[in-house]
Every structure is written in C-alpha cells, then in structure tokens.
Amino acid sequence: QVPLVESGGGLVQAGGSLRLSCVASGRTFRNNGMGWFRQAPGLAREFVAGITWSGSNTYYAGSVKGRFTISRDNAKNTVSLQMNDLKAEDTAVYYCNTNPPRASYWGQGTQVTVSS
C-alpha cells in the first residue's frame, strides 16, 4: 500500500489559490506529525509546513507564513495545504510526508506552477 498520495496541484496565476490534499495509509498517519515539503527545479527539497498529530500546533516556513494553512483530518487520514496569494517562487513539486520526513515515504508529489 502506497503510504502517501498527493493531489490538487495545477497551473494558477499569481495571486491565485490552490488546495493540496494528501491521503495517507493509517499506519503512516497514526500518531505522526505531518508536513508538506516542496522542491523547485535545481533546488533542494525544503520544508513548507508542519502539523502535530493532534493538530493543535502548526509550523510554517517564513516564505509561506500568512499565505499557506496546513490542516489534517485524522478520521480520514488526510492532510491538506491551503495556498493563497500564490507567487511565482512557489512553483515546485509539493510532497507530503511525516514530519520529520521518512525517506521511504516520498511519493510522486503534485506539481504547482504559478504564472506571473
């Protein structure tokens, strides 16, 4: 069973919004903090946002704070990333993983392209 499957990416104009979703297997999700990460062409993968198992604490990279919101639904084993006021520099492949991430859990990701 694939541990994590991301969806929701696409092409959007600068200033627009997208909502990414990630479905996790129960084993992957249970009792774990979860996070969103991204990798732009030619750059290393970077942390975007994280959320604790209870959902009571969230964490954001400085570049997205105030624009992105991470949330989770433990009953559905899903974690989401609402992205508002998107900028060209947000263009990347977005991945979800546990937080901290586990190497064996990286999936295909979902492409987000922001046109300026």
Side-chain angles (χ1 to χ4, degrees), residues 89-107:
E89 52 264 40
D90 295 319
T91 294
V93 178
Y94 284 71
Y95 303 86
C96 68
N97 204 322
T98 56
N99 189 35
R102 300 182 185 181
S104 61
Y105 286 174
W106 293 116

Side-chain angles (χ1 to χ4, degrees), residues 24-67:
S25 68
R27 178 181 176 183
T28 305
F29 203 75
R30 198 171 301 119
N31 295 325
N32 283 317
M34 296 296 296
W36 284 94
F37 306 81
R38 67 186 181 187
Q39 186 168 21
L43 299 179
R45 188 149 41 197
E46 64 176 358
F47 170 82
V48 175
I51 188 167
T52 53
W53 159 245
S54 67
S56 59
N57 290 294
T58 56
Y59 311 91
Y60 297 95
S63 59
V64 307
K65 198 167 186 179
R67 299 188 296 122

Side-chain angles (χ1 to χ4, degrees), residues 18 64 68:
L18 281 174
V64 307
F68 291 10

